[in-house]
């Protein structure tokens, strides 16, 4: 008789979406986990027969899918959620956000805000997040405590930050982070430049060299507003994308957030250089930045993932909401109800997102050998009954609060809707204390 496999746990039952290309949903499926990795995916009856004594996590009446991948955020800005809304980007940033950051952001508050952001995302089915902010090592430590996977960078700007006196110190911190965290199972260190209009060519080139040396993602905001494009045309006689290409910055390491104002030539440049793009529909809508040409980019072969941006410009880190708004937005504005269909937008939030972060062979799909990053969304409420097509259910009807379990690297971090890794009440109380200080 065949020996029983030594699986640690079975996620049992539910409708399994592997998010593999051309895959069919597995009704009453199961996923076996061993040493943090996916050991088997298949019908529940088959897997249960092979390991009858394995620990079981009940996922019946759930959609079981890869955890969502948030490809752009500033986590600690969760503490600035709702601080200043209904304002133009420049006023919002210069008169409200930057002064608040100068007042309260330090190593301790960045860690706190990151833990708050991690809790919010884990409770919304997000298993991988991204960050470009300050005190990146404190961000990494906070995410490890929370049990959330992260692609984390110390952001560089040609100015001072709450942490560093200038860009040389920031470059030093970036290199340190890459060395210290390069082999961590949950953390992928990363490099980040704020934007082509706030970082000069010499430092952008230095950052591209670090990304190349370590083979790690390089995050940057690109072509977010019309103002940015006009300024770049005046200063460099080139669009931001063409300018970045001209200095040799672009490569497949780049995760370019926003990419709202692009010319057809810009889209070709992004495709040729294999740049990954993070589409942030809610942030772009709220700040009235414009409409990113997502369908044109996808048609040109550009890999486009989804991001929330920081909670000060969204105002949640609920990637499912961005996913749902993305599909509605591109249908509504194109006049084409077939634009950005349900399955495509779910792919953006899982395997394509993972791919642009350089993690496409580790997460984003439910595949044997991949890290066990799994989200189980419950289907037992009035708004989630019935379900004819699980992809369209996720794209048009599901809610983040439907989350039943979130598993990251094989560890159950949300079980039956409850966060397992941190004291949520304490976290909320401490976050309110910081908000009171900002209000002053
Ligand atoms: Zn951003």
């Amino acid at each position: 008789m065949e020996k029983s496999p030594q699986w640690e746990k079975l996620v049992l039952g539910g409708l399994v979406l592997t998010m593999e290309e051309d895959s069919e949903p597995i009704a009453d499926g199961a996923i076996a986990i061993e040493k943090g990795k996916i050991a088997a995916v298949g019908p529940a009856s088959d897997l249960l027969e092979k390991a009858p004594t394995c620990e079981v996590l009940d996922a019946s009446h759930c959609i079981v899918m890869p955890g969502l991948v948030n490809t752009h955020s500033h986590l600690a800005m969760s503490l600035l959620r709702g601080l200043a809304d209904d304002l133009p980007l420049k006023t919002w940033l210069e008169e409200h956000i930057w002064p608040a950051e100068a007042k309260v952001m330090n190593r301790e508050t960045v860690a706190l805000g990151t833990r708050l952001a991690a809790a919010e995302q884990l409770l919304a089915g997000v298993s991988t997040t991204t960050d470009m902010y300050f005190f990146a090592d404190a961000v990494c430590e906070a995410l490890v405590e929370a049990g959330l996977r992260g692609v984390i960078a110390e952001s560089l700007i040609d100015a001072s930050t709450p942490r560093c006196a200038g860009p040389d110190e920031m470059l030093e911190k970036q290199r340190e982070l890459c060395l210290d965290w390069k082999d961590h199972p949950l953390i992928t260190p990363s490099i980040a430049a704020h934007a082509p209009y706030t970082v000069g060519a010499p430092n952008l080139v230095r950052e591209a060299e670090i990304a190349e040396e370590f083979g790690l993602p390089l995050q940057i905001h690109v072509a977010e507003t019309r103002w940015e494009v006009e300024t770049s045309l005046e200063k460099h006689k080139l669009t931001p994308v063409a300018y970045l290409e001209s200095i040799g910055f672009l490569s497949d390491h780049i995760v370019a957030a926003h990419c709202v104002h692009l010319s057809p030539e810009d889209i070709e440049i992004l495709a040729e250089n294999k740049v990954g793009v993070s589409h942030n529909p809610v942030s772009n809508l709220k700040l009235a930045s414009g409409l990113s040409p997502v369908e044109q980019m996808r048609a040109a072969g550009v890999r486009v993932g989804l991001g929330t941006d920081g909670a000060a410009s969204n105002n949640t880190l609920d990637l499912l909401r961005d996913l749902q708004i993305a599909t509605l937005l591109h249908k509504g504005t194109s006049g084409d109800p077939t634009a950005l269909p349900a399955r495509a937008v779910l792919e953006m939030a899982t395997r394509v997102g993972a791919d642009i972060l350089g993690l496409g062979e580790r997460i984003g799909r439910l595949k044997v050998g991949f890290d066990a990053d799994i989200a189980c969304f419950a289907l037992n409420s009035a708004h989630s009954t019935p379900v004819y097509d699980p992809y369209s259910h996720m794209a048009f009807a599901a809610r983040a609060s439907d989350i039943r379990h979130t598993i990251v690297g094989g560890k159950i971090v949300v079980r039956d809707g409850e966060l397992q890794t941190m004291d949520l009440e304490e976290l909320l109380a401490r976050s309110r204390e910081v908000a009171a200080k900002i209000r002053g």
Side-chain angles (χ1 to χ4, degrees):
M1 194 184 145
E2 198 184 326
K3 198 169 165 261
S4 291
Q6 297 299 304
W7 295 331
E8 286 157 17
K9 17 180 131 58
L10 269 184
V11 181
L12 195 69
L15 189 56
V16 176
L17 308 182
T18 66
M19 297 314 293
E20 290 273 35
E21 226 164 326
D22 305 323
S23 61
E24 292 290 327
I26 306 168
D28 197 17
I31 300 159
I33 300 173
E34 193 182 348
K35 292 188 180 135
K37 307 254 185 226
I38 295 173
V41 183
S45 53
D46 288 8
L47 269 61
L48 199 54
E49 202 180 315
K50 284 185 184 157
T53 56
C54 186
E55 179 198 337
V56 164
L57 184 68
D58 179 19
S60 52
H61 302 294
C62 283
I63 284 178
V64 179
M65 59 179 289
L68 302 174
V69 179
N70 185 357
T71 57
H72 182 64
S73 194
H74 314 281
L75 300 175
M77 291 182 91
S78 59
L79 294 173
L80 309 179
R81 187 195 323 271
L83 172 66
D85 297 328
D86 302 323
L87 292 169
L89 179 84
K90 213 165 155 12
T91 318
W92 171 80
L93 203 55
E94 290 174 7
E95 293 178 25
H96 299 275
I97 299 301
W98 284 342
E101 284 180 339
K103 193 169 171 186
V104 299
M105 285 303 177
N106 54 43
R107 172 174 288 276
E108 202 187 11
T109 48
V110 166
L112 174 66
T114 301
R115 288 165 67 226
L116 178 66
E120 181 184 357
Q121 289 176 96
L122 288 167
L123 289 164
V126 173
S127 58
T128 296
T129 195
T130 318
D131 187 57
M132 49 186 289
Y133 208 56
F134 325 118
F135 301 102
D137 51 332
V139 172
C140 295
E141 285 162 15
L143 288 189
V144 170
E145 183 188 340
L148 177 60
R149 191 179 303 284
V151 177
I152 308 304
E154 183 84 29
S155 192
L156 184 141
I157 186 164
D158 282 350
S160 64
T161 67
R163 185 187 206 180
C164 300
D168 287 345
E169 196 182 344
M170 294 167 214
L171 281 163
E172 212 176 286
K173 297 285 175 216
Q174 292 187 335
R175 187 170 279 283
E176 266 174 35
L177 191 86
C178 292
L179 286 168
D180 291 349
W181 291 85
K182 66 179 169 32
D183 297 319
H184 197 279
L186 272 189
I187 303 295
T188 301
S190 167
I191 302 107
H194 175 259
Y197 61 93
T198 49
V199 183
N203 284 334
L204 288 173
V205 169
R206 274 180 213 127
E207 291 199 290
E209 285 166 2
I210 301 177
E212 189 61 43
E213 180 186 338
F214 288 93
L216 291 170
L218 201 176
Q219 309 174 47
I220 183 167
H221 297 106
V222 180
E224 181 175 1
T225 62
R226 195 173 296 284
W227 170 87
E228 179 184 340
V229 176
E230 283 164 4
T231 309
S232 177
L233 286 169
E234 260 170 45
K235 197 170 167 196
H236 307 295
K237 309 275 178 277
L238 293 168
T239 63
V241 170
Y243 164 69
L244 289 173
E245 191 198 33
S246 75
I247 60 168
F249 182 80
L250 299 183
S251 72
D252 60 354
H253 296 300
I254 304 296
V255 182
H258 301 302
C259 291
V260 172
H261 297 278
L262 301 178
S263 67
E265 294 74 30
D266 289 338
I267 294 175
E268 269 172 45
I269 294 172
L270 293 174
E272 275 163 22
N273 288 277
K274 300 186 171 60
V275 170
V277 170
S278 175
H279 176 40
N280 296 199
V282 174
S283 169
N284 296 159
L285 282 166
K286 182 167 176 257
L287 295 165
S289 301
L291 181 71
S292 174
V294 169
E295 286 290 61
Q296 291 89 325
M297 283 193 275
R298 281 165 35 85
V302 179
R303 298 167 300 150
V304 185
L306 281 170
T308 56
D309 211 349
S313 51
N314 185 306
N315 292 2
T316 81
L317 303 175
D318 173 359
L319 193 74
L320 185 64
R321 189 173 77 135
D322 275 84
L323 177 166
Q324 296 181 336
I325 288 175
T327 177
L328 295 173
L329 174 68
H330 294 283
K331 289 178 194 305
T333 50
S334 66
D336 175 5
T338 70
L340 210 55
R343 185 156 178 166
V345 85
L346 241 69
E347 285 171 356
M348 288 166 69
T350 53
R351 68 180 164 86
V352 182
D355 193 48
I356 71 170
L357 297 177
L359 298 172
E361 291 306 315
R362 274 183 61 186
I363 58 161
R365 285 177 277 162
L366 301 180
K367 183 179 178 181
V368 172
F370 272 38
D371 289 326
D373 287 11
I374 304 165
C376 305
F377 289 93
L379 298 174
N380 56 357
S381 57
H383 72 266
S384 64
T385 308
V387 173
Y388 295 103
D389 176 333
Y391 303 102
S392 82
H393 172 75
M394 292 308 300
F396 302 112
R399 296 176 190 166
S401 55
D402 295 338
I403 197 70
R404 186 180 293 167
H405 314 302
T406 307
I407 301 167
V408 184
K411 184 174 168 187
I412 303 166
V413 279
V414 172
R415 184 193 283 265
D416 295 319
E418 300 282 333
L419 188 64
Q420 303 295 298
T421 47
M422 296 183 291
D423 180 344
L424 188 59
E425 288 308 318
E426 187 245 309
L427 194 51
L428 303 187
R430 288 188 54 203
S431 301
R432 287 185 199 109
E433 282 168 23
V434 175
K437 241 184 243 168
I438 293 173
R439 239 182 245 120

